[in-house]
Each structure stands twice: as C-alpha cells, then as structure tokens.
Amino acid sequence: MKVVQVLYSGLGGHGSVVSSLVQADTKGDWEHGLIFYGVEKLLPAYQEFCLSYRVPYLYIQKKKGIFRLPGKEVYRAFASLQPDAIILHSPTLILPAWLYCLRHRKKLFVVEHTPHAIKGRAERIATLLSLLLARKVVCLSENYRKELQKRIPFLNLSKRITVIRNGIDLNRFNPLPVRERQEFHIGMAGRFSSQKNQGLILEAAMAGFADGRLDKQVHFHFAGEGETLDRLKQLSEEKGLESQVHFHGLLGEMELLAFFRQLDLYVHASFAETMCTSVMQAMACGLPVIGSDIPGINDLLPAGDNTITLLPNNQVETWLKQMLSYRDRTLRDRKAAQVRQAAGQYFSAEETFAIYSQLIAS
C-alpha cells in the first residue's frame, strides 16, 4: 500500500512524527511518499532524510496571503505520487486531498497537531471540514479529543475521531553513559515564537546569575529559530551572559540528538502544545525534565505520574529553584532512570506505526 504523508515544510513537530513512522516501518509494509507544504523553504534536514531513506517527495511553497489557498498544485502532487492513502498533517489542505481521494476512491486521514488555543480561523474551518470529509481524524491525546468535542458540540465525534499518540525512535534517542564533570548544562529545544516561553527560562537564568545562585559552571542552551529569537539574544547580550547562554540555531535530527546529549537537565516552557516531541525526545535520552503545566506536556504520562516536574508558566522563582535542585547528582540519576523507563513504555514509534497500519487497513 502506498501511503503519502503531507507535512509542513519548515521546523515543527510534524517532521519528527513523520520520520518516526517511516523509520518504524522496518518490514516495508508501506510504500512511502512525502509532500512538504508551507511558506518556509524546505528544511535541508527533511530533504536529506528523504534521500537517505529513498522516500519520493515533493515540495510546494505556499504563497503568502489569506486568499492564496492551495488548489491545483497540491492536487497534481497527489496525482503524481498516486497514493492509496493520504495522512494529512496539515489540515488546511483538506479540500484538494479530499477531492483526490473522492475521485480515485482512496482513503484520507487527518492528524490534528495544532493546539486548540492558537488555531486561527482557517485552521478551525479546516478542522470542521476534516471531520466531515476525512475517513478519520486523529487526535494525539484523549484531552485533545475531549476539548475538540466541546468546541464542536453540534457533531457527534465518537465515530469520526480516533486517538493515536505520537511515537519516537527509541533506538536513536537513547542515553549516553554517565559523565563526570563539574559543569551543569540546561537546555530547551523549540521554535522561538509566541507559543513558546523561552523568555521565562532566560529570566530565571538572569535572576540566578545576578544574585549569585548560578555560577560560571552553569550553562543554558537554546536550539531553534523564530521571530522571538533576536529579542532574547539581545537581552542576553545586554546582561553580559554571552559565555553562559548559548543559542544554537536550527538543528537537524542528528544535531538535535547531540544537543540533548550535552545536557544535564531539559526544560520546556511553553504556552501551547499538542504532544510535545522535544520533551519526549529528551526523556528518551535519559534527561530529567521540567515542563510547563499545560496540555501537551502534563498529559504525556498517566495522571498522577510525577516523572516530569510540572510548573506554572508565570513563576520565574519557582523554575529557578527547581533547576537549582537538579544540580544534585543523586536526584538527576534517579530521575534519568525514571524518564527513560517512561519513554520506553509510552513513546514507542513501532507501536504508533502498528496502530496507523491497522487504521489504514480498516
């Protein structure tokens, strides 16, 4: 069966989700194809991935403007790849995908990645159309499904939706042997945008260095690009923290793996997530995690599980104190074992692939 997945061309959680599904197909059950779509240019890492795994792909650059909706070029991409099933990770392309599947009697599935709180009008309309036109809409968590039902009370979603959690490559993202060193490295990976809250981490760092609770052995690392990056860089420079706060820019998957492996503690401050891939990857690498107490992070593990330290988004001092507590090597080692075990139990890409395969075959 030929399965074509459609995803955003720039940095985002789609790439990791899709690549994990491709890599998890160890028996070659699917004939894979990818379509990248977006205003951003195709990430070189995505192109390299397709070439490495011999996955046919097409890139379509979206034209800016609210009235520049996708049409013939997207439909032509489907016609070129001729899939038996489409997995749409970009719901705004629902109409050309549905038209192709209708005309050729193929199966269409839509995956909801965008947090409800930050959806614009176009995305909300796309969600509604997906529920009406797709064979199934996939939600990444039960909480997301429940919230979607609240927002669309006039439709019975029980038969239109299924919940499938994302998985990651646990063989690739795994811990390195414990290192003995005096330095303490804290990091966060994510797009610099209004959706994320890297500013809180930087505020905590500035407060700690200012009053001496943090010393020169403590380093903060940020991976990613985006519209809020320059402002935070400038703020760091104004406080004279260039030697303690490091901005690594956009990282490919292997570079991201190296990024995680240089850390002692992973922090993820955010206002909106669906199912936070960066936290999952950090856990798989055996990193203790401090995260914002929001859906997409607080529901990664079962209720009552305290493996992830969850904190409010508006308490800089609380974040700083928690980060300081993880300088205790005994605490870090204990948490490292817990997070890796939890990742193995809940984040298997092979299990996710098997569930998608069953869905498509049904």
Side-chain angles (χ1 to χ4, degrees), residues 69 88 91-96 98 108 110 112 121-135 137 152 154-155 160:
L69 299 176
L88 197 61
T92 51
L93 299 178
I94 180 63
L95 289 177
W98 170 74
L108 173 61
V110 177
E112 283 282 349
R121 180 179 296 178
E123 290 174 306
R124 292 196 297 271
I125 293 173
T127 293
L128 180 58
L129 289 174
S130 298
L131 290 166
L132 296 173
L133 302 177
R135 191 179 184 95
V137 172
I152 309 180
F154 51 86
L155 285 180
R160 304 171 191 260

Side-chain angles (χ1 to χ4, degrees), residues 184-307:
F184 183 50
H185 294 266
I186 303 168
M188 174 175 170
R191 183 174 179 82
F192 282 81
S193 69
S194 58
Q195 178 182 335
K196 307 298 183 185
N197 196 10
Q198 289 97 336
L200 181 143
I201 307 301
L202 185 56
E203 284 185 55
M206 292 188 300
F209 287 120
D211 64 17
R213 282 182 287 174
L214 297 177
D215 54 42
K216 290 186 176 181
Q217 291 183 340
V218 180
H219 294 263
F220 288 81
H221 301 267
F222 295 95
E225 292 181 347
E227 59 268 24
T228 63
L229 174 59
D230 289 342
R231 177 177 59 84
L232 295 181
K233 268 187 176 181
Q234 182 179 355
L235 184 58
S236 175
E237 291 168 0
E238 289 173 355
K239 298 298 181 179
L241 296 177
E242 296 94 329
S243 61
Q244 306 304 130
V245 179
H246 313 276
F247 296 91
H248 298 266
L250 183 63
L251 301 179
E253 185 175 76
M254 293 308 297
E255 295 171 316
L256 185 60
L257 177 58
F259 173 84
F260 285 128
R261 285 176 166 174
Q262 74 173 324
L263 302 178
D264 299 295
L265 172 67
Y266 184 76
V267 293
H268 198 95
S270 179
F271 297 110
E273 300 285 347
T274 303
M275 189 175 181
C276 187
T277 303
S278 297
V279 169
M280 296 164 62
Q281 292 170 334
M283 291 175 64
C285 290
L287 288 173
V289 174
I290 300 174
S292 296
D293 190 4
I294 61 170
I297 297 178
N298 60 20
D299 54 2
L300 285 174
L301 300 177
D305 190 308
N306 63 354
T307 299

Side-chain angles (χ1 to χ4, degrees), residues 8-71:
Y8 184 56
S9 58
L11 179 65
H14 297 190
S16 177
V17 172
V18 171
S19 64
S20 294
L21 285 175
V22 173
Q23 292 165 333
D25 183 13
T26 55
K27 296 181 181 179
D29 293 334
W30 296 0
E31 183 182 350
H32 297 271
L34 301 180
I35 296 175
F36 299 93
Y37 178 84
V39 295
E40 296 189 28
K41 292 182 178 180
L42 179 62
L43 282 181
Y46 292 166
Q47 185 176 33
E48 292 169 8
F49 174 83
C50 291
L51 295 175
S52 296
Y53 284 85
R54 298 182 180 179
V55 176
Y57 71 96
L58 295 170
Y59 163 57
I60 301 171
Q61 186 166 25
K62 178 185 176 183
K63 298 176 182 178
K64 294 183 178 181
I66 189 170
F67 298 109
R68 297 182 180 272
L69 299 176

